[in-house]
Amino acid sequence: MALLQIAEPGQSPQPHQRKLAVGIDLGTTNSLVAAVRSGVAETLPDLHGEVILPSAVRYHADRTQVGVDAKAAGAADPLNTVVSVKRLMGRGLGDVKQLGEQLPYRFSAGESDMPFIETVQGRKSPVEVSADILKVLRERAEATLGGELVGAVITVPAYFDDAQRQATKDAARLAGLNVLRLLNEPTAAAVAYGLDRQAEGLVAIYDLGGGTFDISILRLSKGVFEVLATGGDSALGGDDFDHAIAGWILAQAGVPVDLDPAAQRAVLQVACDAKERLTDAQAVEVAYGGWRGTLDRATFERLIDPLVARSLKACRRAVRDSGVELEEIGAVVMVGGSTRVPRVREQVAQLFGREPLTDIDPDRVVAIGAALQADTLAGNNRGEDELLLLDVIPLSLGLETMGGLMEKIIPRNTTIPVARAQDFTTYRDGQAAMMIHVLQGERELVADCRSLARFELRGIPPMVAGAAKIRVTFQVDADGLLSVSAREIASGVEASIQVKPSYGLTDHEIAGMLEDSFRSAGSDKAARALREQQVDAARLIEAVESALAADGDRLLDGEERAAIEMQVEALRACLDAADAAAIEQQTRLLSQITDAFAARRMDASVKAALAGRRLNELED
Amino acid sequence: MGVPCHFALFDLKPDFRVDEQQLASRYRELARAVHPDRFADASAQEQRHAVEQSANLNEAYQTLRDPTRRARYLLSLDGAELPLETTVQDPDFLMQQLQWREELEDLQDQADLAGVATFKSRLKQAQHALNDEFAAVWKDAARREEAERLVRRMQFLDKLSHEVRQLEERLDD
């Protein structure tokens, strides 16, 4: 007879089946993919042994180039070569102009306010450009690891707002990746350093990348990471150092600042090169056009000090937000290529009064941490030492109220997932509809906050002003994505929305892009849809069977269990038939019939956690 | 009711005095059990339940670990919800409020960082004193009014410490 397997809730009963999952650092300047192989997390190289993929995409009329070659072509073909696209993610046309950078691209508006970049291959949204980068990484991982990926953990700056997170998720979807979790970059870095294995302590993660700066304050406690506060500046990074040096070069050379895109890139390249050489040298020779000169460290530091100071101010603010004192921070982790700049290390060390950790390559540390978390989420190392990351939302969420004011429903740095409700009322007699305007930001005035979405609650029964009670509920999931619902209590009329930022891609646009990508890949859309249904169904069957094995005897009576098992068989039976609609229907039925079981399992795990606690206390 | 008491969720008896260490470590254990990350490869409805349970847990934890919110919550357990803002007569405290605020304005005018630090520690002491007072009266139904007044004072001090932080931020510029 077969031996019964005993599994923890949520644990896969077949531990030998290792699932392939990767961590992806989708960076402003560079992107990387990493995976856990033979128990070690490592970044995966391409065919030439390079692990870093420059986040540059060049569009030709008939093909797309990603990486080193695209980056190299940047100066020659700036209009069709997109770099630093991360800065455009989740931004509206207005935002992009406000970024104040001299971006060389030709922008146009889409169905929503999302900026599209005009290229020889047609209009490209930032989401599509990011998807092209992700596709290359996915293919690299699948080739290296030898199989299809069950999913990926993709890192985002902690400072990313809802729109930017949603855009990242959309890009992954376009690239055919199943997102296990969007993970904050600084948290990933802490995981990479294995700080989770420390007993207790406070850690600051200072992450200065190409285009963004993040500071996070984390509390570690026996495998649980609690993000106490995050802050930063989504428009501050090493690129700004380059701009500062470039400005200095142009001034020294007496060249007007108003350059064409190609010349602009050329001078930025010279600046970036000088910056990198200054990490080891005290002074470097710089040549641009006919001009030659020397840039010494003191001058360089004078140029970047205001930028570094901006980052330090954000550090102090995050420390205050987390309710701790600077002296209590036990470790400082450095992330991002720009932390190689000696001046940055020096200033950070001075602020925190200790030398920062720099052992792991600051370019790879985020991808490595993401890979470790992806491995855990795919279910490869369930158990007591499993890592748990408790994240917070970076910006407050709220609603517009009378007078153009923002009413905060969930303040920033609240631990997620979170659900919170607030009651509102009507202000006119017989008011039948209410506009719900969802906002994000810290300022009082609606005009100063970011508008995330608007929707209307209709069909409120006629009442005098102030009599209706409208409960608006905000729910933020573990990825930091928001959904909002509104309900009139007396009548029960309801409206809800999965917040799609006003300047994100519309579902229609995504559908169109997916179709385009199928066409260009030469694959059959129907076949793809069928394959997706089959994968979803197989995943559900596995989840249900593993749940039955773990808790079926305990939580179900014979009849309930038989019903579930029957539905599992019904779904399995139609799995091989090429009928996507039938699979979808049976999947839905199985999902419905196991709903109560799922709820009971959750309650049981809460009780189990408490019971475990009592045992420990007895031992004390 | 349907909604379990926050204290019960942590297997605690409703009380104003809670062991914060113990509360935090129970929170982490429970979070481990219900966090959606535990269910990344589970079915969609298990994931949905996990989000709901985690949200409840987080809400309960945030409520219980903050003394003022904990106090409000205790009073709401056996009585009507405490209105956030009411103009209840509390002349003594009103005088003190005015005094605190004036001091804070002076500190701002003088950009006095050392003074802010002293102000902060005095504020903290006042908060501890209020907490002690509340702990002594909240159980006594006859002293409900007094308990409510204390909660409102606690709320004011919270607001004040928020303003101190904003001042620190401004002085940091």
Side-chain angles (χ1 to χ4, degrees), chain A residues 181 313 417 591 594 601, chain B residues 26 32 37 45-46 58 173:
Chain A
R181 172 87 120 92
K313 196 180 147 198
S591 196
T594 52
R601 292 190 78 214
Chain B
R26 283 196 184 178
R32 239 177 212 296
D37 280 0
Q45 77 267 42
E46 276 193 273
N58 284 330
D173 283 335

Side-chain angles (χ1 to χ4, degrees), chain A residues 479-503:
Chain A
D479 289 323
L481 295 174
L482 168 71
S483 48
V484 180
S485 63
R487 181 187 166 89
E488 201 287 306
I489 303 289
S491 60
V493 289
E494 211 165 345
S496 67
I497 188 168
Q498 167 81 50
V499 171
K500 270 279 183 184
S502 337
Y503 34 79

Side-chain angles (χ1 to χ4, degrees), chain B:
Chain B
M1 277 271 291
V3 183
C5 162
H6 289 343
F7 287 98
L9 186 58
F10 289 90
D11 205 24
L12 295 169
K13 289 234 167 351
D15 196 349
F16 183 67
R17 293 283 177 216
V18 295
D19 180 340
E20 283 174 29
Q21 294 276 326
Q22 198 186 357
L23 183 72
S25 79
R26 283 196 184 178
Y27 165 69
R28 290 187 199 112
E29 279 166 54
L30 290 168
R32 239 177 212 296
V34 299
H35 195 276
D37 280 0
R38 291 285 310 228
F39 301 88
D41 57 348
S43 63
Q45 77 267 42
E46 276 193 273
Q47 289 179 3
R48 208 184 56 239
H49 285 297
V51 172
E52 282 167 13
Q53 289 266 12
S54 290
N56 284 343
L57 176 67
N58 284 330
E59 187 62 25
Y61 179 54
Q62 298 303 334
T63 304
L64 296 193
R65 81 166 168 180
D66 176 62
T68 308
R69 289 184 64 183
R70 187 164 67 234
R72 278 180 65 88
Y73 182 70
L74 276 171
L75 292 187
S76 78
L77 280 180
D78 55 15
E81 187 83 19
L82 191 64
L84 259 174
E85 313 275 352
T86 42
T87 47
V88 175
Q89 293 294 319
D90 192 354
D92 296 346
F93 192 58
L94 196 67
M95 281 309 292
Q96 212 200 332
Q97 282 184 35
L98 290 173
Q99 203 185 326
W100 287 105
R101 284 208 191 282
E102 252 167 52
E103 267 184 68
L104 199 59
E105 272 166 37
D106 288 347
L107 289 171
Q108 168 156 11
D109 293 343
Q110 294 151 14
D112 180 359
L113 273 172
V116 171
T118 323
F119 189 86
K120 257 166 74 178
S121 72
R122 267 173 52 214
L123 192 57
K124 214 164 224 159
Q125 275 173 19
Q127 285 175 314
H128 283 307
L130 274 181
N131 289 350
D132 290 341
E133 280 186 66
F134 182 83
V137 304
W138 77 272
K139 274 186 197 157
D140 189 347
R143 300 172 78 179
R144 167 95 188 180
E145 222 168 275
E146 201 180 336
E148 287 186 5
R149 187 162 65 231
L150 288 169
V151 170
R152 275 188 290 271
R153 290 183 174 192
M154 287 154 88
Q155 282 175 184
F156 172 77
L157 292 192
D158 285 351
K159 217 183 284 170
L160 197 62
S161 47
H162 182 69
E163 280 165 35
V164 173
R165 249 184 44 201
Q166 284 179 323
L167 173 61
E168 278 183 305
E169 231 146 76
R170 279 196 299 275
L171 294 180
D172 198 13
D173 283 335

Side-chain angles (χ1 to χ4, degrees), chain A residues 541-552:
Chain A
I541 289 177
E542 199 190 317
V544 170
E545 288 191 327
S546 125
L548 280 176
D551 294 317

Side-chain angles (χ1 to χ4, degrees), chain A residues 51-215:
Chain A
V51 296
I52 288 177
L53 179 73
S55 303
V57 182
R58 182 185 186 190
Y59 291 100
H60 300 267
D62 56 343
R63 68 199 167 92
T64 304
Q65 251 179 327
V66 179
V68 181
D69 297 341
K71 187 183 173 188
D77 186 17
L79 290 177
N80 297 306
T81 307
V82 186
V83 297
S84 296
V85 70
K86 190 171 175 180
R87 288 192 166 195
L88 305 178
M89 292 289 271
R91 301 286 189 162
L93 256 183
D95 295 322
V96 170
K97 285 179 185 139
Q98 233 180 26
L99 279 177
E101 286 170 85
Q102 300 143 309
L103 295 166
Y105 316 118
R106 286 184 304 237
F107 288 108
S108 64
E111 272 176 42
S112 48
D113 187 32
M114 173 175 266
F116 281 77
I117 300 164
E118 300 285 347
T119 74
V120 287
Q121 209 183 87
R123 298 183 336 158
K124 297 287 174 186
S125 73
V127 169
E128 285 171 283
V129 178
S130 299
D132 283 326
I133 298 168
L134 288 171
K135 249 179 243 167
V136 171
L137 295 174
R138 194 197 77 199
E139 282 158 13
R140 181 195 291 185
E142 286 178 345
T144 317
L145 302 172
E148 214 171 309
L149 304 179
V150 296
V153 167
I154 299 179
T155 59
V156 291
Y159 210 61
F160 254 23
D161 64 25
D162 190 82
Q164 292 164 305
R165 283 166 200 266
Q166 188 64 57
T168 307
K169 243 185 159 171
D170 287 344
R173 187 172 149 203
L174 272 180
L177 282 166
N178 171 35
V179 178
L180 294 169
R181 172 87 120 92
L182 295 179
L183 184 61
N184 286 336
E185 287 161 8
T187 315
V191 173
Y193 268 100
L195 292 173
D196 48 301
R197 273 172 258 126
Q198 276 187 355
E200 304 270 326
L202 290 167
V203 181
I205 316 289
Y206 181 99
D207 179 352
L208 190 60
T212 53
F213 169 67
D214 276 305
I215 174 72

